[in-house]
């Protein structure tokens, strides 16, 4: 709604983590193909995960964030929401 790309959010008890989702914008990026690398325009979005290190370690937090990114990157374009 506000056009923010990324932010760090406070965590309030009893929550142990919060996921921030930035706005989707077109960005230039390298696209790897069997014929070589290309520069193309892709839709990109920042994901940010803030968490309490007393409950969640970096490996678990990073794995969770990677899984969310994997789901979003492989979302079928023609799927109804």
């Amino acid at each position: 709604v506000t056009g923010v790309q990324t932010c760090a959010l406070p965590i309030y008890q009893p929550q142990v983590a919060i996921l921030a989702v930035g706005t989707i914008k077109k960005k230039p990026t390298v696209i790897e193909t069997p014929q070589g690398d290309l520069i193309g325009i892709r839709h990109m979005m920042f994901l940010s995960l803030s968490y309490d290190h007393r409950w969640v370690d970096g490996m678990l937090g990073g794995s969770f964030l990677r899984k969310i990114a994997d789901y979003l990157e492989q979302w079928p374009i023609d799927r109804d929401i």
Side-chain angles (χ1 to χ4, degrees):
V1 174
T2 63
V4 172
Q5 290 227 329
T6 186
C7 63
L9 301 171
I11 304 163
Y12 298 106
Q13 296 292 333
Q15 288 86 17
V16 296
I18 187 165
L19 177 66
V21 179
T23 186
I24 300 171
K25 293 196 174 213
K26 292 180 181 179
K27 300 272 186 185
T29 187
V30 175
I31 302 169
E32 297 177 7
T33 69
Q35 293 78 26
D37 294 344
L38 304 169
I39 295 179
I41 305 298
R42 302 292 299 264
H43 287 91
M44 305 288 281
M45 176 178 68
F46 286 102
L47 297 175
S48 175
L49 181 65
S50 299
Y51 50 90
D52 185 337
H53 287 274
R54 294 173 293 180
W55 299 100
V56 178
D57 68 6
M59 180 65 181
L60 181 61
S63 296
F64 173 77
L65 201 54
R66 179 73 260 163
K67 194 68 166 175
I68 295 292
D70 288 343
Y71 283 134
L72 293 173
E73 288 171 359
Q74 303 194 11
W75 189 273
I77 222 84
D78 59 347
R79 181 176 175 180
D80 291 332
I81 298 177

Coordinates of all heavy atoms in Angstrom, one line a residue:
V1 N 0.8 -1.2 0.0 CA 0.0 0.0 0.0 C 0.9 1.3 0.0 O 0.6 2.2 -0.7 CB -0.9 0.0 1.2 CG1 -1.7 1.3 1.3 CG2 -1.9 -1.2 1.2
T2 N 2.0 1.2 0.7 CA 2.8 2.4 0.9 C 4.0 2.5 -0.1 O 4.6 3.5 -0.2 CB 3.4 2.5 2.3 OG1 4.2 1.4 2.5 CG2 2.3 2.6 3.3
G3 N 4.2 1.4 -0.8 CA 5.3 1.4 -1.8 C 6.7 1.1 -1.1 O 7.7 1.2 -1.8
V4 N 6.7 0.7 0.1 CA 8.0 0.4 0.8 C 8.6 -0.9 0.2 O 7.9 -1.9 0.0 CB 7.7 0.2 2.3 CG1 8.9 -0.3 3.1 CG2 7.2 1.5 2.9
Q5 N 9.9 -0.9 0.0 CA 10.6 -2.0 -0.5 C 11.0 -3.0 0.6 O 11.0 -4.2 0.4 CB 11.7 -1.6 -1.4 CG 11.3 -0.9 -2.6 CD 12.1 -1.5 -3.8 OE1 13.2 -1.9 -3.7 NE2 11.4 -1.5 -4.9
T6 N 11.5 -2.5 1.7 CA 12.0 -3.4 2.8 C 11.9 -2.6 4.1 O 12.0 -1.4 4.1 CB 13.4 -3.9 2.5 OG1 13.7 -4.8 3.5 CG2 14.4 -2.8 2.5
C7 N 11.8 -3.3 5.2 CA 11.8 -2.7 6.5 C 12.1 -3.7 7.5 O 12.1 -4.9 7.3 CB 10.4 -2.0 6.8 SG 9.1 -3.2 6.8
A8 N 12.5 -3.3 8.7 CA 12.7 -4.1 9.9 C 11.6 -3.8 10.9 O 11.4 -2.7 11.3 CB 14.1 -3.9 10.5
L9 N 10.9 -4.8 11.3 CA 9.7 -4.6 12.2 C 10.0 -5.1 13.6 O 10.8 -6.1 13.7 CB 8.5 -5.4 11.6 CG 8.1 -4.9 10.2 CD1 7.0 -5.9 9.6 CD2 7.6 -3.5 10.2
P10 N 9.5 -4.5 14.6 CA 9.7 -4.9 15.9 C 8.8 -6.2 16.2 O 7.8 -6.4 15.6 CB 9.2 -3.8 16.8 CG 8.2 -3.1 15.9 CD 8.7 -3.2 14.5
I11 N 9.3 -7.0 17.1 CA 8.6 -8.2 17.5 C 8.1 -8.0 18.9 O 8.8 -7.7 19.8 CB 9.6 -9.4 17.5 CG1 10.2 -9.6 16.1 CG2 8.8 -10.7 17.8 CD1 11.5 -10.4 16.1
Y12 N 6.8 -8.2 19.1 CA 6.1 -8.1 20.4 C 5.8 -9.4 20.9 O 5.3 -10.3 20.2 CB 4.9 -7.2 20.2 CG 5.2 -5.8 19.8 CD1 4.9 -5.4 18.5 CD2 5.8 -4.9 20.6 CE1 5.2 -4.1 18.0 CE2 6.1 -3.6 20.2 CZ 5.8 -3.2 18.9 OH 6.1 -2.0 18.5
Q13 N 6.0 -9.6 22.2 CA 5.7 -10.9 22.9 C 4.2 -11.1 22.8 O 3.4 -10.2 22.8 CB 6.1 -10.8 24.4 CG 7.5 -10.7 24.6 CD 8.3 -11.9 24.2 OE1 7.8 -13.0 24.2 NE2 9.6 -11.7 23.9
P14 N 3.7 -12.3 22.5 CA 4.4 -13.6 22.5 C 4.9 -14.0 21.2 O 5.3 -15.2 21.0 CB 3.3 -14.6 23.0 CG 2.1 -14.0 22.5 CD 2.2 -12.5 22.5
Q15 N 4.9 -13.2 20.1 CA 5.4 -13.6 18.8 C 6.9 -13.8 18.9 O 7.6 -13.1 19.7 CB 5.0 -12.5 17.8 CG 3.6 -12.4 17.4 CD 2.8 -11.5 18.3 OE1 3.3 -10.8 19.1 NE2 1.5 -11.7 18.3
V16 N 7.4 -14.6 18.0 CA 8.8 -14.8 17.9 C 9.4 -14.4 16.6 O 10.6 -14.4 16.5 CB 9.2 -16.3 18.2 CG1 8.8 -16.7 19.7 CG2 8.6 -17.3 17.2
A17 N 8.5 -14.1 15.6 CA 9.0 -13.7 14.3 C 8.0 -12.9 13.6 O 6.8 -13.0 13.9 CB 9.5 -14.9 13.5
I18 N 8.4 -12.1 12.6 CA 7.5 -11.4 11.8 C 8.1 -11.3 10.4 O 9.3 -11.0 10.2 CB 7.2 -10.0 12.3 CG1 6.1 -9.3 11.5 CG2 8.4 -9.1 12.4 CD1 5.4 -8.1 12.2
L19 N 7.2 -11.5 9.4 CA 7.7 -11.5 8.0 C 7.2 -10.2 7.3 O 6.0 -9.9 7.4 CB 7.1 -12.7 7.2 CG 7.3 -12.8 5.7 CD1 8.8 -13.0 5.5 CD2 6.5 -13.9 5.1
A20 N 8.1 -9.4 6.8 CA 7.8 -8.2 6.0 C 7.9 -8.5 4.5 O 8.8 -9.1 4.1 CB 8.7 -7.1 6.4
V21 N 6.9 -8.1 3.8 CA 6.8 -8.3 2.4 C 6.8 -6.9 1.7 O 5.9 -6.1 1.9 CB 5.6 -9.1 2.0 CG1 5.5 -9.3 0.5 CG2 5.5 -10.4 2.7
G22 N 7.8 -6.7 0.8 CA 7.9 -5.4 0.1 C 7.0 -5.4 -1.1 O 6.4 -6.4 -1.5
T23 N 7.0 -4.2 -1.7 CA 6.2 -4.0 -2.9 C 6.9 -4.8 -4.1 O 8.1 -4.9 -4.1 CB 6.0 -2.5 -3.2 OG1 5.1 -2.4 -4.3 CG2 7.3 -1.9 -3.6
I24 N 6.1 -5.2 -5.1 CA 6.6 -5.8 -6.3 C 7.0 -4.7 -7.3 O 6.1 -3.9 -7.6 CB 5.6 -6.8 -6.9 CG1 5.3 -7.9 -5.9 CG2 6.1 -7.4 -8.2 CD1 4.2 -8.8 -6.3
K25 N 8.2 -4.7 -7.8 CA 8.7 -3.7 -8.8 C 9.5 -4.4 -9.9 O 10.1 -5.5 -9.6 CB 9.6 -2.7 -8.1 CG 8.8 -1.8 -7.2 CD 9.6 -0.6 -6.8 CE 8.7 0.3 -6.0 NZ 9.0 1.7 -6.2
K26 N 9.5 -3.9 -11.0 CA 10.3 -4.4 -12.1 C 11.8 -3.9 -11.9 O 12.0 -2.8 -11.6 CB 9.8 -3.9 -13.5 CG 8.5 -4.5 -13.9 CD 8.1 -3.9 -15.2 CE 6.7 -4.5 -15.6 NZ 6.3 -4.0 -16.9
K27 N 12.7 -4.9 -12.0 CA 14.1 -4.6 -11.9 C 14.9 -5.3 -12.9 O 14.6 -6.4 -13.4 CB 14.6 -5.1 -10.5 CG 13.9 -4.6 -9.3 CD 14.6 -3.3 -8.9 CE 13.9 -2.8 -7.6 NZ 14.5 -1.6 -7.2
P28 N 16.1 -4.7 -13.4 CA 16.9 -5.5 -14.3 C 17.7 -6.6 -13.5 O 18.1 -6.4 -12.4 CB 17.9 -4.4 -14.8 CG 17.9 -3.3 -13.7 CD 16.5 -3.4 -13.1
T29 N 17.8 -7.7 -14.1 CA 18.5 -8.8 -13.5 C 19.1 -9.8 -14.5 O 18.8 -9.7 -15.7 CB 17.5 -9.6 -12.6 OG1 18.2 -10.6 -11.9 CG2 16.4 -10.3 -13.4
V30 N 20.1 -10.6 -14.1 CA 20.7 -11.5 -15.0 C 19.8 -12.8 -15.0 O 19.4 -13.3 -14.0 CB 22.1 -11.9 -14.5 CG1 22.7 -13.0 -15.3 CG2 23.0 -10.6 -14.5
I31 N 19.6 -13.2 -16.2 CA 18.8 -14.5 -16.5 C 19.7 -15.5 -17.1 O 20.3 -15.2 -18.2 CB 17.6 -14.2 -17.4 CG1 16.7 -13.1 -16.8 CG2 16.8 -15.5 -17.6 CD1 15.6 -12.6 -17.7
E32 N 19.9 -16.6 -16.4 CA 20.8 -17.6 -16.9 C 20.1 -18.6 -17.8 O 19.0 -19.1 -17.5 CB 21.4 -18.4 -15.7 CG 22.3 -17.6 -14.8 CD 22.8 -18.3 -13.6 OE1 22.6 -19.6 -13.5 OE2 23.4 -17.7 -12.7
T33 N 20.6 -18.8 -19.0 CA 20.0 -19.7 -20.0 C 21.1 -20.7 -20.5 O 22.3 -20.4 -20.3 CB 19.5 -19.0 -21.2 OG1 20.5 -18.4 -22.0 CG2 18.5 -17.9 -20.8
P34 N 20.8 -21.8 -21.1 CA 21.8 -22.7 -21.7 C 22.6 -22.0 -22.7 O 23.8 -22.4 -23.0 CB 21.0 -23.8 -22.3 CG 19.7 -23.8 -21.6 CD 19.4 -22.4 -21.2
Q35 N 22.1 -21.0 -23.4 CA 22.9 -20.3 -24.4 C 23.7 -19.2 -23.9 O 24.5 -18.6 -24.6 CB 21.9 -19.7 -25.5 CG 21.1 -20.7 -26.3 CD 20.0 -21.3 -25.5 OE1 19.4 -20.7 -24.6 NE2 19.6 -22.5 -25.9
G36 N 23.6 -18.9 -22.6 CA 24.4 -17.8 -22.0 C 23.6 -16.9 -21.1 O 22.3 -17.0 -21.1
D37 N 24.2 -16.0 -20.5 CA 23.5 -15.0 -19.6 C 22.9 -13.9 -20.4 O 23.5 -13.4 -21.4 CB 24.4 -14.5 -18.5 CG 24.9 -15.6 -17.6 OD1 24.3 -16.6 -17.5 OD2 25.9 -15.3 -16.8
L38 N 21.7 -13.4 -19.9 CA 21.0 -12.3 -20.5 C 20.7 -11.3 -19.4 O 20.5 -11.7 -18.3 CB 19.7 -12.7 -21.2 CG 19.8 -13.8 -22.3 CD1 18.4 -14.3 -22.7 CD2 20.5 -13.3 -23.5
I39 N 20.5 -10.1 -19.8 CA 20.0 -9.1 -18.8 C 18.5 -8.9 -19.2 O 18.2 -8.5 -20.4 CB 20.8 -7.8 -18.8 CG1 22.2 -8.1 -18.4 CG2 20.1 -6.7 -18.0 CD1 23.1 -6.9 -18.3
G40 N 17.6 -9.1 -18.3 CA 16.2 -8.9 -18.6 C 15.5 -8.1 -17.4 O 16.1 -7.9 -16.4
I41 N 14.3 -7.8 -17.7 CA 13.5 -7.1 -16.7 C 12.6 -8.2 -16.0 O 11.9 -8.9 -16.7 CB 12.6 -6.0 -17.3 CG1 13.4 -5.0 -18.1 CG2 11.7 -5.3 -16.2 CD1 14.4 -4.3 -17.3
R42 N 12.7 -8.3 -14.7 CA 11.9 -9.3 -13.9 C 11.1 -8.5 -12.8 O 11.6 -7.5 -12.3 CB 12.8 -10.3 -13.3 CG 13.7 -11.1 -14.2 CD 12.9 -12.0 -15.1 NE 12.2 -13.0 -14.5 CZ 12.6 -14.3 -14.2 NH1 13.8 -14.7 -14.6 NH2 11.8 -15.1 -13.6
H43 N 10.0 -9.1 -12.4 CA 9.4 -8.6 -11.2 C 10.1 -9.1 -10.0 O 10.4 -10.3 -9.8 CB 7.9 -9.1 -11.2 CG 7.0 -8.4 -12.2 ND1 6.9 -8.9 -13.4 CD2 6.3 -7.3 -12.1 CE1 6.1 -8.1 -14.1 NE2 5.7 -7.1 -13.3
M44 N 10.5 -8.2 -9.1 CA 11.2 -8.5 -7.9 C 10.5 -8.0 -6.6 O 9.8 -7.0 -6.7 CB 12.6 -7.9 -7.9 CG 13.4 -8.3 -9.2 SD 14.0 -10.0 -9.2 CE 15.4 -9.9 -8.2
M45 N 10.7 -8.7 -5.5 CA 10.1 -8.3 -4.3 C 11.1 -8.7 -3.1 O 11.7 -9.7 -3.2 CB 8.8 -9.0 -4.1 CG 8.1 -8.8 -2.7 SD 6.5 -9.6 -2.6 CE 7.0 -11.3 -2.5
F46 N 11.2 -7.8 -2.1 CA 12.0 -8.1 -1.0 C 11.2 -8.8 0.1 O 10.1 -8.4 0.3 CB 12.6 -6.8 -0.4 CG 13.7 -6.2 -1.2 CD1 13.5 -5.1 -2.0 CD2 15.0 -6.8 -1.2 CE1 14.5 -4.6 -2.8 CE2 16.1 -6.2 -1.9 CZ 15.8 -5.1 -2.7
L47 N 11.8 -9.8 0.7 CA 11.2 -10.4 1.9 C 12.2 -10.2 3.0 O 13.4 -10.3 2.9 CB 11.1 -11.9 1.7 CG 10.1 -12.4 0.6 CD1 10.2 -13.9 0.5 CD2 8.7 -12.0 0.9
S48 N 11.7 -9.9 4.2 CA 12.5 -9.6 5.4 C 11.9 -10.3 6.5 O 10.7 -10.2 6.8 CB 12.6 -8.1 5.6 OG 13.3 -7.9 6.8
L49 N 12.7 -11.1 7.2 CA 12.2 -11.9 8.4 C 13.0 -11.4 9.6 O 14.2 -11.5 9.7 CB 12.5 -13.4 8.2 CG 12.0 -14.3 9.3 CD1 10.5 -14.2 9.5 CD2 12.5 -15.7 9.1
S50 N 12.3 -10.8 10.6 CA 12.8 -10.4 11.9 C 12.4 -11.5 12.9 O 11.2 -11.9 12.9 CB 12.3 -9.1 12.3 OG 12.7 -8.1 11.4
Y51 N 13.4 -11.9 13.7 CA 13.0 -13.0 14.7 C 13.8 -12.8 16.0 O 14.9 -12.2 16.0 CB 13.1 -14.4 14.1 CG 14.4 -14.7 13.4 CD1 15.5 -15.2 14.1 CD2 14.6 -14.4 12.1 CE1 16.7 -15.4 13.5 CE2 15.8 -14.7 11.4 CZ 16.9 -15.2 12.2 OH 18.0 -15.4 11.5
D52 N 13.3 -13.4 17.0 CA 13.9 -13.4 18.3 C 14.9 -14.6 18.3 O 14.6 -15.8 18.2 CB 12.8 -13.7 19.4 CG 13.3 -13.6 20.8 OD1 14.5 -13.7 21.0 OD2 12.5 -13.3 21.7
H53 N 16.2 -14.2 18.5 CA 17.3 -15.2 18.4 C 17.2 -16.2 19.6 O 17.9 -17.2 19.6 CB 18.6 -14.6 18.3 CG 18.9 -14.0 17.0 ND1 19.4 -14.7 15.9 CD2 18.6 -12.7 16.5 CE1 19.5 -14.0 14.9 NE2 19.0 -12.8 15.1
R54 N 16.5 -15.9 20.6 CA 16.4 -16.8 21.8 C 15.5 -18.0 21.4 O 15.6 -19.1 22.0 CB 15.7 -16.1 23.0 CG 16.6 -15.0 23.5 CD 15.9 -14.3 24.6 NE 14.8 -13.5 24.0 CZ 14.0 -12.7 24.7 NH1 14.2 -12.6 26.0 NH2 13.1 -12.1 24.1
W55 N 14.7 -17.9 20.3 CA 13.8 -19.0 19.9 C 14.1 -19.5 18.5 O 13.8 -20.7 18.3 CB 12.3 -18.5 20.0 CG 11.9 -18.1 21.3 CD1 11.9 -16.8 21.8 CD2 11.6 -18.9 22.4 NE1 11.5 -16.8 23.1 CE2 11.3 -18.1 23.6 CE3 11.5 -20.3 22.6 CZ2 10.9 -18.6 24.8 CZ3 11.1 -20.8 23.8 CH2 10.8 -19.9 24.9
V56 N 14.6 -18.7 17.7 CA 14.8 -19.1 16.3 C 16.3 -18.8 16.0 O 16.7 -17.6 16.1 CB 13.9 -18.3 15.3 CG1 14.2 -18.6 13.9 CG2 12.4 -18.5 15.6
D57 N 17.0 -19.8 15.5 CA 18.4 -19.5 15.1 C 18.4 -19.1 13.6 O 17.5 -19.2 12.9 CB 19.3 -20.6 15.4 CG 19.1 -21.9 14.6 OD1 18.3 -21.9 13.7 OD2 19.7 -22.9 14.9
G58 N 19.6 -18.7 13.1 CA 19.8 -18.2 11.8 C 19.5 -19.3 10.7 O 18.9 -19.0 9.7
M59 N 19.8 -20.5 11.0 CA 19.6 -21.6 10.0 C 18.1 -21.8 9.8 O 17.6 -21.9 8.7 CB 20.2 -22.9 10.5 CG 20.1 -24.0 9.6 SD 20.9 -23.7 8.1 CE 20.5 -25.2 7.2
L60 N 17.3 -21.9 10.9 CA 15.9 -22.1 10.8 C 15.2 -20.9 10.1 O 14.4 -21.0 9.3 CB 15.3 -22.3 12.2 CG 13.8 -22.6 12.2 CD1 13.4 -23.8 11.4 CD2 13.3 -22.7 13.7
G61 N 15.6 -19.7 10.5 CA 15.0 -18.5 10.0 C 15.3 -18.4 8.5 O 14.4 -18.0 7.7
G62 N 16.6 -18.6 8.1 CA 17.0 -18.6 6.7 C 16.3 -19.6 5.9 O 15.9 -19.4 4.7
S63 N 16.1 -20.8 6.4 CA 15.4 -21.9 5.7 C 14.0 -21.6 5.5 O 13.4 -21.9 4.4 CB 15.5 -23.2 6.5 OG 16.9 -23.6 6.7
F64 N 13.3 -21.0 6.5 CA 11.9 -20.6 6.3 C 11.8 -19.6 5.2 O 10.9 -19.7 4.4 CB 11.4 -20.1 7.7 CG 10.0 -19.5 7.6 CD1 8.9 -20.3 7.5 CD2 9.9 -18.1 7.5 CE1 7.6 -19.7 7.4 CE2 8.6 -17.5 7.4 CZ 7.5 -18.3 7.4
L65 N 12.7 -18.5 5.3 CA 12.6 -17.5 4.3 C 12.9 -18.0 2.9 O 12.2 -17.6 1.9 CB 13.6 -16.4 4.6 CG 13.4 -15.0 4.0 CD1 12.0 -14.5 4.3 CD2 14.4 -14.1 4.6
R66 N 13.8 -18.9 2.7 CA 14.1 -19.6 1.4 C 12.9 -20.3 0.9 O 12.6 -20.3 -0.3 CB 15.4 -20.5 1.6 CG 15.8 -21.2 0.3 CD 16.4 -20.3 -0.7 NE 15.4 -19.9 -1.7 CZ 15.6 -18.9 -2.6 NH1 16.6 -18.1 -2.5 NH2 14.6 -18.7 -3.4
K67 N 12.2 -21.1 1.8 CA 11.1 -21.8 1.4 C 9.9 -20.9 0.9 O 9.3 -21.2 -0.1 CB 10.6 -22.7 2.6 CG 9.6 -23.8 2.2 CD 10.3 -24.8 1.4 CE 9.4 -26.0 1.3 NZ 10.0 -27.0 0.4
I68 N 9.7 -19.8 1.6 CA 8.7 -18.9 1.1 C 9.1 -18.3 -0.2 O 8.2 -18.2 -1.2 CB 8.6 -17.7 2.1 CG1 8.0 -18.2 3.5 CG2 7.7 -16.6 1.6 CD1 6.6 -18.7 3.5
A69 N 10.4 -18.0 -0.4 CA 10.8 -17.4 -1.7 C 10.7 -18.5 -2.8 O 10.2 -18.2 -3.9 CB 12.3 -17.0 -1.6
D70 N 11.0 -19.8 -2.5 CA 10.8 -20.8 -3.5 C 9.3 -21.0 -3.9 O 9.1 -21.1 -5.1 CB 11.3 -22.2 -2.9 CG 12.8 -22.3 -2.8 OD1 13.5 -21.4 -3.4 OD2 13.3 -23.1 -2.1
Y71 N 8.4 -20.9 -3.0 CA 7.0 -21.0 -3.3 C 6.6 -19.9 -4.2 O 5.9 -20.0 -5.2 CB 6.1 -21.0 -2.1 CG 6.1 -22.3 -1.3 CD1 6.2 -22.3 0.1 CD2 5.9 -23.5 -1.9 CE1 6.2 -23.5 0.8 CE2 5.8 -24.7 -1.2 CZ 6.0 -24.7 0.2 OH 5.9 -25.8 0.9
L72 N 7.0 -18.6 -3.9 CA 6.6 -17.5 -4.7 C 7.3 -17.5 -6.1 O 6.6 -17.1 -7.1 CB 7.0 -16.2 -3.9 CG 6.2 -15.9 -2.7 CD1 6.8 -14.7 -1.9 CD2 4.7 -15.8 -3.0
E73 N 8.5 -17.9 -6.2 CA 9.2 -17.9 -7.5 C 8.6 -19.0 -8.4 O 8.7 -18.8 -9.6 CB 10.7 -18.2 -7.2 CG 11.4 -17.1 -6.6 CD 12.9 -17.4 -6.2 OE1 13.3 -18.6 -6.4 OE2 13.5 -16.5 -5.7
Q74 N 8.0 -20.0 -7.9 CA 7.4 -21.1 -8.7 C 5.9 -21.0 -8.8 O 5.3 -21.9 -9.3 CB 7.9 -22.4 -8.2 CG 9.4 -22.4 -8.2 CD 10.0 -23.8 -8.0 OE1 9.3 -24.8 -8.1 NE2 11.3 -23.8 -7.8
W75 N 5.3 -19.9 -8.4 CA 3.9 -19.7 -8.5 C 3.4 -19.7 -9.9 O 4.0 -19.0 -10.8 CB 3.5 -18.3 -7.9 CG 2.1 -18.2 -7.7 CD1 1.2 -17.7 -8.6 CD2 1.3 -18.4 -6.5 NE1 -0.1 -17.6 -8.1 CE2 0.0 -18.1 -6.8 CE3 1.6 -19.0 -5.3 CZ2 -1.0 -18.3 -5.9 CZ3 0.6 -19.1 -4.3 CH2 -0.7 -18.8 -4.6
P76 N 2.5 -20.6 -10.3 CA 2.0 -20.6 -11.7 C 1.3 -19.3 -12.0 O 0.4 -18.8 -11.3 CB 1.0 -21.8 -11.7 CG 0.9 -22.3 -10.3 CD 1.8 -21.5 -9.4
I77 N 1.7 -18.7 -13.1 CA 1.2 -17.4 -13.5 C -0.3 -17.4 -13.8 O -1.0 -16.4 -13.6 CB 2.0 -16.8 -14.7 CG1 2.3 -15.4 -14.5 CG2 1.3 -16.9 -16.0 CD1 3.4 -14.9 -13.8
D78 N -0.8 -18.5 -14.2 CA -2.3 -18.6 -14.6 C -3.1 -19.2 -13.5 O -4.3 -19.4 -13.7 CB -2.4 -19.5 -15.9 CG -1.8 -20.9 -15.6 OD1 -1.1 -21.1 -14.6 OD2 -2.1 -21.8 -16.5
R79 N -2.6 -19.3 -12.3 CA -3.4 -19.8 -11.2 C -4.3 -18.8 -10.6 O -4.0 -17.6 -10.4 CB -2.4 -20.3 -10.1 CG -3.1 -20.9 -8.9 CD -2.2 -21.4 -7.8 NE -2.9 -21.8 -6.7 CZ -2.4 -22.3 -5.6 NH1 -1.1 -22.5 -5.6 NH2 -3.1 -22.7 -4.6
D80 N -5.6 -19.2 -10.3 CA -6.5 -18.3 -9.7 C -6.2 -18.1 -8.2 O -5.8 -19.1 -7.6 CB -8.0 -18.9 -9.8 CG -8.5 -18.8 -11.2 OD1 -8.0 -18.0 -12.0 OD2 -9.3 -19.7 -11.6
I81 N -6.4 -16.9 -7.8 CA -6.1 -16.6 -6.3 C -7.4 -16.6 -5.6 O -8.4 -16.0 -6.0 CB -5.3 -15.3 -6.2 CG1 -4.0 -15.4 -6.9 CG2 -5.2 -15.0 -4.7 CD1 -3.2 -14.1 -6.8

